[in-house]
């Protein structure tokens, strides 16, 4: 019993005990596990889904458990429209939204990535994201409380509907689902279609019920969401490009202990290398699986048809210049080597 001890040593013990317990919260804080909730809207077996899993594995391994990453795929936690706001509020720490989804928070420059036929191949896309243009665009997120960590590829978008899409005239009056991007809206209108923004999580249902007639996406997204089962015709148009910005809540990220942040930056770098290395193959394999399913007729446009689409869609580069920013468009042309048609 404390009071049976001589007053001085009992007192010393109490002070020592009080001292340690006062330190505990800090000690436990330093040891406290950091939780990163990583929410996204696609299936786990996609380039983005696998990239997220790889980041989780590397982050948890390299921080020796000081960081725990919880991944919520397929819009389980937040769907389009909700996810970026949830990140800004700090309800989720990490996302990887499509670059087509930043217009609604006022960062319209990202819609440059949606311009039709602007990238001739993955290398020309990477030349933009891995250089000063990509860096500058990430800077524009910071005033929104968002820190851009990496760009992850998915791939080129193909068109689908329940009728053949060979000529521009085939699009007339079709209700086509798009992501929330004014450039994607203009792309569809330039083909004579009626664009309709719809959350990715509602797409299958929207096509099955006929709320929308068709859509555009990458083969890996189409296959993993079974879009080919409700779309009788697919045209391998590669008319635009879908890719991602891996982003975190800026306050959360800058509040991390510096040593932890450095480890996580390294994990993100290696996860990015992995995700970008598998993207093209994932999409090729998905397209092969769609063809093998026999559920949808997969059509490669002739050079003349491709040229007809380009001619019709190129107006969007000019029409949306004011929204996206002439400087942004010119800098992407330069970095990607894009040559506007005469
Ligand atoms: C879409 O909404 O179509 C895509 O952005 C989904 C995704 O994140 O790939």
């Amino acid at each position: 019993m404390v009071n049976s001890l001589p007053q001085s040593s009992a007192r010393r013990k109490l002070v020592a005990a009080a001292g340690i317990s006062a330190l505990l919260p800090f000690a436990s804080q330093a040891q406290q596990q950091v939780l990163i909730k990583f929410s996204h809207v696609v299936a786990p077996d996609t380039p983005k889904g696998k990239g997220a899993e790889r980041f989780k594995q590397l982050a948890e391994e390299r921080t020796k458990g000081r960081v725990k990453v919880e991944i919520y795929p397929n819009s389980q936690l937040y769907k389009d429209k909700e996810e970026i706001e949830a990140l800004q509020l700090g309800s989720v720490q990490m996302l990887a939204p499509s670059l087509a989804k930043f217009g609604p928070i006022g960062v319209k420059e990202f819609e440059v990535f949606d311009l039709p036929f602007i990238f001739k191949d993955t290398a020309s896309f990477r030349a933009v994201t891995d250089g000063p243009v990509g860096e500058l665009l990430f800077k524009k997120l910071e005033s929104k409380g968002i820190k851009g960590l990496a760009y992850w590829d998915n791939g080129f978008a193909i068109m689908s509907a329940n009728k053949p899409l060979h000529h521009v005239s085939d699009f007339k009056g079709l209700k086509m689902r798009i992501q929330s991007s004014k450039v994607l809206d203009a792309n569809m209108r330039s083909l004579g279609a009626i664009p309709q923004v719809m959350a990715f999580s509602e797409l299958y249902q929207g096509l099955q019920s006929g709320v929308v007639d068709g859509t555009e996406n990458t083969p890996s997204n189409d296959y993993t969401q079974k879009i080919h089962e409700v779309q009788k015709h697919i045209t391998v148009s590669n008319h635009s490009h879908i890719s991602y910005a891996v982003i975190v809540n800026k306050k959360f990220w800058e509040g991390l202990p510096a040593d932890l942040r450095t480890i996580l930056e390294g994990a993100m770098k290696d996860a990015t290398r992995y995700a970008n290395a598998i993207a093209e193959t994932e999409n090729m394999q998905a397209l092969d699986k769609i063809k093998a399913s026999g559920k949808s007729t997969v059509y490669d446009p002739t050079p003349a048809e491709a040229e007809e689409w380009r001619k019709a869609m190129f107006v969007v580069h000019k029409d949306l210049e004011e929204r996206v920013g002439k400087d942004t468009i010119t800098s992407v042309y330069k970095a990607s080597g894009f040559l506007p048609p005469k």
Side-chain angles (χ1 to χ4, degrees):
M1 283 290 283
V2 168
N3 53 20
S4 60
L5 289 169
Q7 189 53 25
S8 58
S9 63
R11 188 175 154 68
R12 265 205 308 279
K13 277 192 186 296
L14 263 180
V15 168
I20 291 167
S21 59
L23 282 175
L24 262 185
F26 297 100
S28 61
Q29 207 164 29
Q31 300 317 321
Q32 212 164 15
Q33 191 176 55
V34 171
L35 174 61
I36 295 179
K37 285 193 273 188
F38 189 158
S39 171
H40 67 77
V41 300
V42 297
D45 50 345
T46 56
K48 171 157 59 173
K50 291 183 175 178
E53 285 297 337
R54 180 56 62 92
F55 173 71
K56 169 183 167 70
Q57 178 212 337
L58 296 174
E60 291 179 350
E61 239 168 52
R62 294 180 183 176
T63 61
K64 298 184 176 46
R66 286 171 64 195
V67 169
K68 178 172 167 44
V69 179
E70 285 176 355
I71 298 175
Y72 297 90
N74 264 325
S75 307
Q76 275 169 18
L77 198 58
Y78 295 104
K79 60 182 190 179
D80 287 348
K81 273 174 69 143
E82 303 163 340
E83 61 174 8
I84 295 185
E85 193 189 346
L87 183 98
Q88 289 173 306
L89 293 170
S91 316
V92 67
Q93 288 71 40
M94 191 176 276
L95 304 172
S98 160
L99 299 176
K101 297 181 178 174
F102 288 88
I105 63 164
V107 192
K108 302 167 191 160
E109 294 86 348
F110 274 88
E111 293 180 6
V112 67
F113 290 103
D114 301 327
L115 287 171
F117 300 105
I118 191 165
F119 300 115
K120 60 181 182 304
D121 52 25
T122 302
S124 57
F125 163 72
R126 291 265 181 76
V128 175
T129 56
D130 295 359
V133 179
E135 230 169 280
L136 192 68
L137 287 169
F138 271 175
K139 275 258 163 290
K140 294 179 187 292
L141 294 175
E142 306 214 342
S143 62
K144 311 288 179 190
I146 297 171
K147 170 101 180 125
L149 295 185
Y151 289 94
W152 285 0
D153 297 6
N154 187 334
F156 289 91
I158 57 182
M159 285 285 193
S160 63
N162 286 318
K163 61 177 280 191
L165 297 172
H166 299 182
H167 297 285
V168 169
S169 55
D170 294 332
F171 284 88
K172 191 156 180 40
L174 286 186
K175 290 177 292 184
M176 298 293 283
R177 180 267 174 178
I178 57 167
Q179 303 171 81
S180 52
S181 154
K182 293 292 179 217
V183 168
L184 294 178
D185 180 283
N187 289 352
M188 286 299 179
R189 289 181 196 282
S190 72
L191 292 167
I194 304 160
Q196 192 145 353
V197 175
M198 179 183 279
F200 187 57
S201 53
E202 292 156 14
L203 178 54
Y204 180 89
Q205 184 65 31
L207 291 167
Q208 192 183 41
S209 61
V211 167
V212 285
D213 304 310
T215 190
E216 58 182 352
N217 224 300
T218 59
S220 57
N221 274 342
D222 279 354
Y223 183 70
T224 51
Q225 300 295 329
K226 301 187 182 342
I227 301 301
H228 59 297
E229 293 185 2
V230 287
Q231 295 275 265
K232 293 192 180 65
H233 295 272
I234 287 175
T235 297
V236 188
S237 50
N238 298 328
H239 61 283
S240 71
H241 194 268
I242 294 184
S243 48
Y244 310 110
V246 186
I247 57 175
V248 284
N249 174 291
K250 188 165 179 288
K251 201 154 151 271
F252 158 76
W253 189 253
E254 289 172 353
L256 288 170
D259 65 324
L260 216 45
R261 193 169 47 245
T262 306
I263 297 171
L264 292 174
E265 281 162 355
M268 182 52 71
K269 200 154 153 252
D270 292 344
T272 300
R273 195 173 297 125
Y274 165 73
N276 290 349
I278 64 169
E280 267 185 20
T281 313
E282 290 280 307
N283 279 297
M284 271 169 10
Q285 287 171 350
L287 193 59
D288 289 344
K289 288 177 193 162
I290 290 172
K291 287 176 184 169
S293 75
K295 302 267 185 187
S296 184
T297 306
V298 179
Y299 177 77
D300 290 309
T302 63
E305 289 162 344
E307 194 43 35
E308 190 194 325
W309 288 41
R310 276 173 204 277
K311 276 217 176 73
M313 297 182 83
F314 187 63
V315 290
V316 177
H317 286 238
K318 209 77 197 131
D319 294 354
L320 278 281
E321 196 173 86
E322 199 183 315
R323 173 178 172 85
V324 175
K326 189 172 170 54
D327 295 353
T328 301
I329 295 177
T330 313
S331 65
V332 170
Y333 280 4
K334 204 156 152 278
S336 66
F338 176 80
L339 295 172
K342 296 270 175 292

